[in-house]
Each structure stands twice: as structure tokens, then as C-alpha cells.
Amino acid sequence: MKFGLFYELSVPRPWTRESERTVYNNALEQVKLADELGFDQVWAVEHHFLEEYSHCPAPELFLTACAMLTKDIRVGHGIIVCVPGFNHPIKIAEKTAVLDILSGGRLEVGTGRSATWTELAGFNANPDDDQEELGRVRAMPSQDVDVGAVRLRGRVLVDAVADHPAQGVPAAAPADVGGGDEPGHGAGRRGPRARQPRPHVRPVRRAGEEDRRVPAPHPALQPVGDFVNDQVSSVNFLYCHEDDQVGRERGRRMADTFNYLATQLTSVREVFPGRSYPSARPAAPAPPRGYRPRGERAGRRGIVPGRAGARHARAQALGSVRRRPREFSAERDGGHPQAEVLDSLRLFAREVMPAFAGSKAGRRGRSLMPVFGELALRPLPPGCPASPASMLRRGRCRVPKFYSSPSRSPRARARCCPARCIRPSPYATWLVTRYPESPVGPFALAQLRLMGRAGAHPRGFVLAAVASTPEAARALAGGWVCPWHRAR
Amino acid sequence: MTVRRYHDRVNAVVTRDGEPILDAALVDPEPISPADVQYIHSVTLASVAEAGREAPALIQVDAHYTLHRAERGRPSITRFAAQAWNAGRLAPRHPIAASFTTVDTDLPQIRFLMDPEIPVIRGTRRIR
């Protein structure tokens, strides 16, 4: 088990020129202290066009500054947005390779795509395509990068690069899992001809859900590079204080602030139906029996503030270490005074981290750490009993769900390509529903809703509603309190 | 209120007192998986009487949808009378997407109340 910091670099209002600078300077000071205290890694997000939630549009610059101020702590992209409109894949390879060299092989690279309409639309990216493009970027290290010709066949990248000299196209930096144990195994130390592993580090938001969200590498998985980096990084809130009550109160305020800022995001699947961002479910399921809103619970699951947070964090972290080495990152945002944040880091390093230094989980993690180049997975032969086809036949694997695909022709894409819109939120929706059967007979209902959030959940505030029959209007006025009805 | 399907679009028109207050269409529909469509729950403000006193509350209407068929396309709004929708300052500028679905749905009872005066994460109550 290792611990790290995860930065969104939130800048709550009111904004001043000084407030931006203060947030960045405070973060750098925290990272410098974290390095001295023995934290293992620092992560930075990439977000664009957001309001208060995150002001981190150039994480490579922030991480470079972190690397220059520190000695041992690893610096990580969590994640680089691999949508060509945001970052050209070759620039990703170049920038990460340079940062890996500058940091002395301390770079971690996480790859992903944006999930917000706010950002994708701002870069005029088509949500229908970015899953495909992400796959191409992730596979890029397996191309002939080391011989200087990037032969990508993507729609965007065809003939993008040809005849580059070997030194001109450095290999993509790895999600190097050597950590502090193997500081010499970074791409920078190995030179541009090294075959690189597939970046597989992926922060997840809820501790305890890693096994479900990030399945173990399939035995037949073909790594892009020389091994599969099977580490998982969990992200959580954390605030420690000598006084338990103070710690809980401030940790809770930090979580509330984060949730408030998160309401400024607009997810893609919320506004743009498509196969690239499938909905988790058509509608939220009913809460479990005995559900109580979070504010009424004695403590929140997954949130670890306060003095007791140290115990909670330890139990939670131990509980999650079952199959693979884990990293545990604490999110460090929330507008608290800098001195208190630094004290919280010191307290955590003094009271929690030593418990893991010699723990079974820690030893196991180190023993299973796949050293660069050591673990070479290859596809199983087709006739092997454990091959994917055999497992599917025997019902041991879940059969992937295939979605009906809209037309992939350029013309169809152009038809559905969303309009450019940098600041789409708040947005409005019109919902017209025909109810052929109901207790008040058949009717139709039209609603105009202003979309927003209730906590973390998207909700539509009904500005007005029109029902087609007087009976329906009366029933809905009594049952749902629609703000305005007019029978027609 | 009419919802009509044409060869190249699905059109919805809402009229009040003989005047159209909304004329919107889904243009060039193409089929997508029903699982790709997400309909967001609604909330409305109401005065709720409880324990002898009335207080404003946000009411959540969480209809359940079982989607059978879905199409997506380009939205087109040719008529929108903002005043008639209690939305005088709302001016549609960038239509994003339109969907047309066939669903099983219900008229659900209210289950959650939210206090509009405090953060929703603390002020949500289950009443059923």
C-alpha cells in the first residue's frame, strides 16, 4: 500500500489573480512536504472550461514543477485526455517522454477521455468517436515508435507522421510500476528505444469498488508493452486533525465543497445519447430499504476525515488489498488554510503511513510488483482451454453487450455532430410524453426543465408543464405539483 | 399537443389557446441502443404542510423508464414562446441532441423531499 496526493486544483470564487497563484503555490508546497514525509506519488487531473471545480488545464506543467521541487515522489497524470482535439497523440508521447526524463523516471501516465459535455463540446469533439480514438492512443506504444515511424491508422492520424528520426519521436512514457524501489527503470533511463508498457494506472473514486470497476487482467490479455501494470489507484477525501470533531467537521466541509463544485459539470451521457457513453442505467433504481440521506448517517462510507479517519482509512485500505497491489491517494482540495493542510499531511504521515510500512499488504505489494520488463504476457493459443472463446462457450465470461450502432458514415457523423458550445450549462430540455394508458385516461404531457444537480445527481427543475386533458392536469397538480398546467 | 412521425423527422407541437408555444423536431433520426438514453428525474417546488406548518420543499418525481426503442438525431426548434413556459429569459442557442423513444413508464408517487434552504446532500428526506 502506498499513499499519494491527487490534485484537481479547485479555485472557488471569488476569483482574483492572486487566488489562482495561491492555489498553485500552496499545492507545490504541499507536494514538497509530501515528498519529505514519504508519500509515494502526486497526481494531477486535466480539465478544461470548468468554473470552480478544477483549474488544471496544463497538468504537464504542474507536474514538471512538482518534479523539479522534489526528489523521490512520483508524478502522475490522472489522466491525460486522449481525445485528439484535446491532445494530439504524438504530442502526448513527446511531452510524457520529456517529463519522464526531467523527473528521473518518476512519471506515471494514466490515459482516459473526457466524460463531460462541457469539455468535449468546448473542443468540438464528437462523443461518438472518442472511445475509438482513446483505444488508438493507448495502443500507440505498441507501434513502431522506437524505429521512428508512427504508423497509426486512425481517422485522425493517417499519415500524421512519417520518416521521423528516432530521436525525434521518443517513446511514450510508461506507467512505470517500479516506484521508489526501482528508480532506474523509467523510460528516460532506458532511452527512446525501450519498449514501453501500456499505461494502466487508473484512479477510481470509491475505495472498495476497484475490483468491480477494474477487473483483473485477463489471462489472454495482450500487453502493449512488456508487461501489464495491474496497480489501481483509489481516490478519496482525507483530512486529519488532532481533534476528532474538528477533523470530521472540516473533512465534511471539504466533501460538501467538492460536491458543490461537481454540480458545475455536465456529463456527456446526460445530454447526448450515444454508444460511446452508454448510460449506466435508464433511470436511477430505488434506494435500498432503510436508506437514509447521507446527512443523517453517523459517518459516511468512503469518506475518511477526522481523527477516526486514520483508523477508517487503514481498515478500508486493508480491506481493499486482496488481489493486487494498491495505491491509495488522498484528494487535497477544498480551500482550507495552508497551515492546516500541511499539519494534516504531517499527522497522516506520522500516524497512518507507518502502519503500512511493514504490513503484510505492503510486503505483498512489493513482492508482486512487476518490475519493468519482467512480466511478459502473451495471447493464449486459440485451442487453449482458457482462451476467451472457450470461456465464452462455457459461460465463464460475461458476454459483452453489443449496442446497435448508428451509421458510421462521415455524413451521418456530421449530422449528429453536436454544435460547438463552450458553456452549455445550465441547459434546458423539453420532454413531451404520451401516456396511452393511465388512471386518468390517455393524455400527453409536455415539460420544460432547467437542468442542474441535486447533490451529485442530475435533476431537471420543471419550469412549466402542459397536460392535454383537464383530468390529467388536476391529477398531476395534486400528485406532482407541476408548476403550471393548462388543459387543452 | 401532437407528436407526429414523418419520413425524415419526428415533430412535437404544443399549443395553448390555439397558439403554438412549442414546435420542436428530431431531424434525421437514427436508431441507437435504448441503453444509451438517460432520462433525468424532475424536481418541482411546492409548499408542503407537515406537523401543522407549511414550508417550501423540492419534490422529486422519479419516474421509471423501461426503454424499448430509441432514436437520436439533430434537434430543431422552430417555435418557442418563452413567456408561455415561465421562462422569459430562456433563449435556445445551441441545440445539442434530440431523442425519440418508446418506453414503459409510470406516474410515480413522491418519495423524496428536499429542503431548498440547505445543501441537498443534507436536506433530502425520504417520505415513502
Side-chain angles (χ1 to χ4, degrees):
Chain A
M1 179 66 61
K2 300 171 183 175
F3 296 91
L5 307 179
F6 190 94
Y7 282 95
E8 302 271 3
L9 294 173
S10 305
V11 185
R13 287 185 171 92
W15 294 327
T16 65
R17 187 170 295 183
E18 196 55 40
S19 64
E20 291 293 334
R21 195 200 325 259
T22 300
V23 166
Y24 271 89
N25 287 343
N26 286 350
L28 290 173
E29 186 181 10
Q30 292 161 19
V31 172
K32 191 176 178 184
L33 176 65
D35 183 46
E36 295 166 1
L37 293 173
F39 281 81
D40 186 71
Q41 77 270 166
V42 53
W43 297 88
V45 302
E46 177 181 342
H47 279 303
H48 305 268
F49 307 127
L50 303 187
E51 296 179 51
E52 298 168 280
Y53 180 87
S54 173
H55 286 200
C56 191
E60 68 275 11
L61 298 180
F62 173 69
L63 293 173
T64 303
C66 291
M68 294 298 99
L69 289 172
T70 57
K71 293 178 181 176
D72 299 320
I73 197 168
R74 301 184 66 77
V75 293
H77 283 280
I79 47 82
I80 292 181
V81 181
C82 296
V83 176
F86 288 59
N87 295 297
H88 194 284
I90 295 172
K91 286 293 287 179
I92 293 174
E94 292 173 338
K95 287 191 290 189
T96 52
V98 170
L99 179 49
D100 197 52
I101 292 169
L102 292 175
S103 64
R106 288 187 280 147
L107 180 65
E108 305 272 7
V109 180
T111 57
R113 55 182 179 142
S114 176
T116 71
W117 174 259
T118 316
E119 295 164 279
L120 284 169
F123 280 106
N124 212 19
N126 191 334
D128 281 344
D129 293 338
D130 58 9
Q131 177 77 64
E132 199 176 341
E133 301 297 347
L134 173 62
R136 290 199 183 101
V137 175
R138 278 180 169 162
M140 188 174 170
S142 70
Q143 312 293 324
D144 295 330
V145 178
D146 51 347
V147 297
V150 181
R151 302 190 190 100
L152 297 180
R153 296 286 180 265
R155 182 175 62 86
V156 175
L157 302 172
V158 168
D159 300 324
V161 171
D163 300 324
H164 273 251
Q167 294 81 3
V169 187
D176 188 355
V177 293
D181 301 332
E182 297 290 336
H185 286 289
R189 299 295 177 88
R190 285 194 151 233
R193 296 188 69 85
R195 293 299 299 267
Q196 305 301 335
R198 172 187 179 182
H200 198 69
V201 174
R202 175 183 175 184
V204 292
R205 292 275 176 184
R206 295 176 186 168
E209 292 193 358
E210 301 89 344
D211 288 326
R212 182 172 60 83
R213 292 190 56 182
V214 186
H218 193 279
L221 183 65
Q222 181 180 14
V224 169
D226 286 346
F227 68 87
V228 175
N229 181 352
D230 66 348
Q231 292 190 105
V232 173
S233 180
S234 294
V235 183
N236 205 328
F237 298 102
L238 190 138
Y239 190 86
C240 289
H241 196 273
E242 295 287 356
D243 186 315
D244 183 53
Q245 191 59 35
V246 173
R248 282 182 178 276
E249 192 277 326
R250 290 181 183 167
R252 180 173 174 163
R253 195 175 65 199
M254 181 169 66
D256 286 348
T257 302
F258 181 86
N259 284 325
Y260 165 72
L261 300 180
T263 63
Q264 299 164 1
L265 305 176
T266 302
S267 69
V268 174
R269 67 187 185 193
E270 189 182 322
V271 298
F272 191 78
R275 66 171 188 162
S276 191
Y277 288 89
S279 300
R281 47 192 174 267
R289 189 173 294 278
Y291 168 83
R292 283 183 297 152
R294 288 182 169 181
E296 298 176 12
R297 295 177 191 156
R300 292 191 202 173
R301 188 179 59 186
I303 306 296
V304 285
R307 181 72 173 175
R311 297 193 297 274
H312 192 163
R314 184 179 179 209
Q316 190 174 53
L318 282 173
S320 70
V321 178
R322 289 205 304 269
R323 202 173 59 219
R324 285 162 285 168
R326 293 291 202 275
E327 296 166 356
F328 187 90
S329 300
E331 186 139 358
R332 302 292 328 176
D333 281 333
H336 288 275
Q338 175 74 344
E340 293 184 5
V341 174
L342 298 179
D343 286 344
S344 173
L345 286 175
R346 292 188 186 101
L347 184 60
F348 185 82
R350 189 173 68 236
E351 298 208 3
V352 179
M353 289 168 60
F356 291 88
S359 68
K360 183 179 176 182
R363 289 196 300 275
R364 184 178 174 215
R366 278 195 293 275
S367 67
L368 291 180
M369 192 75 70
V371 178
F372 186 86
E374 182 181 86
L375 184 62
L377 299 181
R378 293 290 177 264
L380 292 173
C384 176
S387 69
S390 304
M391 297 179 79
L392 282 176
R393 274 198 300 274
R394 291 202 300 266
R396 289 174 57 190
C397 267
R398 194 158 51 104
V399 179
K401 184 175 182 181
F402 294 97
Y403 298 108
S404 61
S405 169
S407 169
R408 306 297 296 167
S409 70
R411 187 177 167 201
R413 272 203 299 268
R415 269 207 315 266
C416 289
C417 188
R420 186 180 181 89
C421 180
I422 291 182
R423 292 294 176 93
S425 57
Y427 63 98
T429 61
W430 287 264
L431 190 62
V432 180
T433 313
R434 283 198 303 207
Y435 293 87
E437 297 175 3
S438 85
V440 290
F443 72 98
L445 176 68
Q447 299 174 68
L448 169 60
R449 304 185 303 165
L450 197 61
M451 308 306 286
R453 285 285 194 281
H457 304 288
R459 293 287 182 266
F461 183 80
V462 180
L463 287 175
V466 182
S468 61
T469 68
E471 294 80 12
R474 279 195 295 273
L476 295 177
W480 291 359
V481 207
C482 285
W484 181 81
H485 294 272
R486 178 68 178 249
R488 172 71 184 171
Chain B
M1 198 177 315
T2 60
V3 179
R4 287 198 178 122
R5 181 175 195 115
Y6 300 93
H7 73 283
D8 65 336
R9 64 184 57 215
V10 180
N11 203 58
V13 178
V14 179
T15 59
R16 188 185 70 167
D17 299 331
E19 289 293 320
I21 58 174
L22 176 69
D23 188 341
L26 180 161
V27 182
D28 293 336
E30 51 185 338
I32 61 173
S33 165
D36 293 342
V37 181
Q38 180 182 25
Y39 286 134
I40 309 297
H41 294 161
S42 297
V43 291
T44 61
L45 259 179
S47 181
V48 177
E50 280 186 317
R53 58 184 287 266
E54 282 202 358
L58 273 171
I59 292 170
Q60 180 172 315
V61 180
D62 46 356
H64 178 262
Y65 296 100
T66 303
L67 291 100
H68 300 294
R69 178 182 170 189
E71 291 168 280
R72 184 193 70 185
R74 182 161 45 86
S76 170
I77 300 175
T78 52
R79 173 75 181 170
F80 172 60
Q83 295 292 346
W85 290 91
N86 296 340
R89 293 196 301 165
L90 183 66
R93 290 267 188 262
H94 300 287
I96 298 173
S99 63
F100 178 67
T101 56
T102 305
V103 305
D104 284 339
T105 185
D106 55 5
L107 301 170
Q109 293 182 308
I110 304 300
R111 293 188 303 152
F112 294 102
L113 292 183
M114 289 164 270
D115 187 335
E117 300 292 336
I118 59 178
V120 69
I121 201 164
R122 293 183 196 168
T124 301
R125 275 192 302 130
R126 180 174 185 143
I127 59 172
R128 181 172 288 116

